């Protein structure tokens, strides 16, 4: 049996890029001709920017979409993109999508799980699962597991899971993932799902590296000019420091406040950078591997002042705990197998 390499150190590697770098900057000089990429959420916000730069670098990019017409309109000017029907809240549609892709026999070189929702009121999917966990983690988990044979076939593939510094708001509460026995808090639910994204990358990398599959989790930064903010009133965004008093986006990469082009950079860097060859299972931000940090007071907090956009670099230990990563994978397998 092939020897599994030691876990990649969760520490910066002196990347030449930083928070102000754009997706175009980090992919400069990289040729993706002959590569196949899937980007969920690839027709809006940083997902659309990710799709654009990967396609421009020569990749064939497949964008699964719940709303085909909306995706087609958004991506009409980008060449090399295919749109397929899929809904992350619908397990049957995920299974249908993965079956269609596997039937083509092609390898999958890059999978970017970029779609997500944030801090919405309590809703559940048809299985009764809380929607943020179901969309941000469980749907992507089912998608990735379904595409695993194609990722293996690439003989050198990468998975990128979009997380957030919002993982500080909550660990995965295994005893009550779906808020059936505790009051629903939209930020704790969001935080739990973002912690799940990091734990997923940790375990996916451990399971996949012998087959050339490496996985990364990403904090893109705070990008207020996307639809992700739809459930947050403007006055709250002003109070958080993400908008100025006139309602305009504040751009300050030093405080993780970024443009869409800057927000897509770390996803693209993790998907393509030669600096990450032989590495994986780490949380990244500002186009580098992040350091480990301790709680900065936001974890589990309901105080809006604790959510001010800030230079909150680093990943908390609960999001990269190997035992919890294994537990989450096993729990997720059971949840998707029920339906």
């Amino acid at each position: 049996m092939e020897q599994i390499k030691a876990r990649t150190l969760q520490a910066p590697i002196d990347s030449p890029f930083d928070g102000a770098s754009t997706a175009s900057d980090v992919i400069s000089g990289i040729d993706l001709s002959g590569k196949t990429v899937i980007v969920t959420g690839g027709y809006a916000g940083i997902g659309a920017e990710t799709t654009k730069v990967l396609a421009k670098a020569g990749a064939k990019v497949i964008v699964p979409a719940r709303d085909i017409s909306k995706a087609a309109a958004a991506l009409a000017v980008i060449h090399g993109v295919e749109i397929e029907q899929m809904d992350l809240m619908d397990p049957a549609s995920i299974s249908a999508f993965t079956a269609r892709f596997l039937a083509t026999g092609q390898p999958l070189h890059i999978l970017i799980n970029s779609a997500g929702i944030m801090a919405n009121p309590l809703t559940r999917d048809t299985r009764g699962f809380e929607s943020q966990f179901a969309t941000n983690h469980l749907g992507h988990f089912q998608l990735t597991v379904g595409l695993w044979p194609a990722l293996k076939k690439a003989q050198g593939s990468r998975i990128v899971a979009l997380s957030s510094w919002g993982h500080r708001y909550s660990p995965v509460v295994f005893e009550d993932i779906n808020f059936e026995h505790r009051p629903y808090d939209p930020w704790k639910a969001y935080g739990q799902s973002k912690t799940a994204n990091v734990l997923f990358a940790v375990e996916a990398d451990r399971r996949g590296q012998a087959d050339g599959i490496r996985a990364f989790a990403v904090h893109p930064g705070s990008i207020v000019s996307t639809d992700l903010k739809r459930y947050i009133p403007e006055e709250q965004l002003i109070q958080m420091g993400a908008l100025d008093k006139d309602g305009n986006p504040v751009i300050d990469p030093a405080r993780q406040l970024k443009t869409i082009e800057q927000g897509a950079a770390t996803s693209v860097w993790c998907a393509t950078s030669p600096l990450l060859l032989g590495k994986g299972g780490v949380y990244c931000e500002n186009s580098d591997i992040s350091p480990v940090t301790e709680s900065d007071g936001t974890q589990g907090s309901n105080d809006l002042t604790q959510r001010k956009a800030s230079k909150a670099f680093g990943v908390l230990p609960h999001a990269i705990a190997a035992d919890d990563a294994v537990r989450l994978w096993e729990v997720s397998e059971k949840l998707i197998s029920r339906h």
Side-chain angles (χ1 to χ4, degrees):
M1 183 175 178
E2 183 178 343
Q3 183 71 27
I4 301 297
K5 295 180 181 178
R7 183 172 173 179
T8 300
L9 183 64
Q10 183 68 56
I13 57 173
D14 196 25
S15 165
F17 304 107
D18 58 23
S21 300
T22 66
S24 294
D25 292 335
V26 303
I27 205 171
S28 178
I30 295 175
D31 182 8
L32 297 180
S33 299
K35 306 294 186 182
T36 300
V37 182
I38 293 175
V39 183
T40 72
Y43 58 97
I46 63 173
E49 180 67 14
T50 300
T51 296
K52 183 180 77 173
V53 298
L54 293 174
K56 188 175 181 180
K60 179 177 81 172
V61 184
I62 299 170
V63 177
R66 181 177 56 186
D67 187 333
I68 295 288
S69 60
K70 181 179 179 181
L75 300 174
V77 298
I78 304 175
H79 299 290
V81 178
E82 299 177 5
I83 302 169
E84 289 275 354
Q85 182 72 48
M86 194 189 79
D87 182 352
L88 285 166
M89 288 274 279
D90 180 357
S93 80
I94 298 171
S95 295
F97 172 80
T98 58
R100 290 195 305 271
F101 185 86
L102 294 181
T104 68
Q106 63 187 309
L108 177 60
H109 301 89
I110 299 169
L111 171 61
I112 301 182
N113 295 330
S114 190
I117 55 177
M118 180 175 74
N120 54 285
L122 177 61
T123 50
R124 300 186 184 277
D125 68 8
T126 56
R127 303 165 293 187
F129 299 152
E130 188 276 318
S131 61
Q132 295 191 72
F133 185 80
T135 301
N136 297 347
H137 167 66
L138 204 57
H140 283 124
F141 178 84
Q142 181 184 343
L143 175 68
T144 305
V145 170
L147 292 170
W148 203 263
L151 289 162
K152 182 177 177 179
K153 191 171 186 178
Q155 298 183 323
S157 58
R158 296 189 188 183
I159 302 165
V160 180
L162 268 286
S163 182
S164 168
W165 74 288
H167 74 272
R168 289 164 168 76
Y169 300 151
S170 177
V172 174
V173 181
F174 288 100
E175 296 73 23
D176 189 19
I177 286 175
N178 289 301
F179 290 86
E180 295 167 324
H181 308 293
R182 56 181 168 139
Y184 178 73
D185 180 295
W187 286 106
K188 287 183 180 178
Y190 178 67
Q192 174 179 249
S193 73
K194 295 293 102 178
T195 292
N197 293 147
V198 190
L199 292 173
F200 162 77
V202 170
E203 182 62 5
D205 188 78
R206 187 187 73 82
R207 289 172 179 254
Q209 62 175 290
D211 292 318
I213 302 170
R214 306 310 301 255
F216 305 86
V218 165
H219 169 46
S222 298
I223 301 94
V224 76
S225 51
T226 72
D227 287 343
L228 197 62
K229 69 178 188 305
R230 68 175 69 94
Y231 297 107
I232 309 173
E234 183 175 299
E235 58 269 23
Q236 290 188 8
L237 291 169
I238 293 172
Q239 188 178 348
M240 291 166 70
L243 298 178
D244 65 21
K245 59 182 178 59
D246 298 317
N248 302 309
V250 175
I251 305 301
D252 183 1
R255 291 193 297 129
Q256 303 276 36
L257 296 165
K258 301 183 180 183
T259 64
I260 287 175
E261 293 79 9
Q262 292 166 341
T266 307
S267 298
V268 173
W269 183 77
C270 285
T272 64
S273 176
L275 293 175
L276 293 172
L277 287 172
K279 296 179 171 60
V282 288
Y283 172 95
C284 302
E285 61 192 333
N286 297 322
S287 300
D288 202 345
I289 299 176
S290 306
V292 180
T293 188
E294 297 303 322
S295 176
D296 59 2
T298 62
Q299 186 176 348
S301 173
N302 290 319
D303 184 355
L304 189 65
T305 62
Q306 293 295 325
R307 294 199 193 96
K308 283 186 176 296
S310 66
K311 185 182 175 181
F313 300 117
V315 60
L316 293 185
H318 74 245
I320 55 171
D323 288 347
D324 280 353
V326 172
R327 185 180 182 186
L328 177 65
W329 192 282
E330 293 173 348
V331 167
S332 300
E333 284 182 327
K334 290 177 182 176
L335 290 175
I336 66 171
S337 69
R338 287 184 193 171
H339 304 270

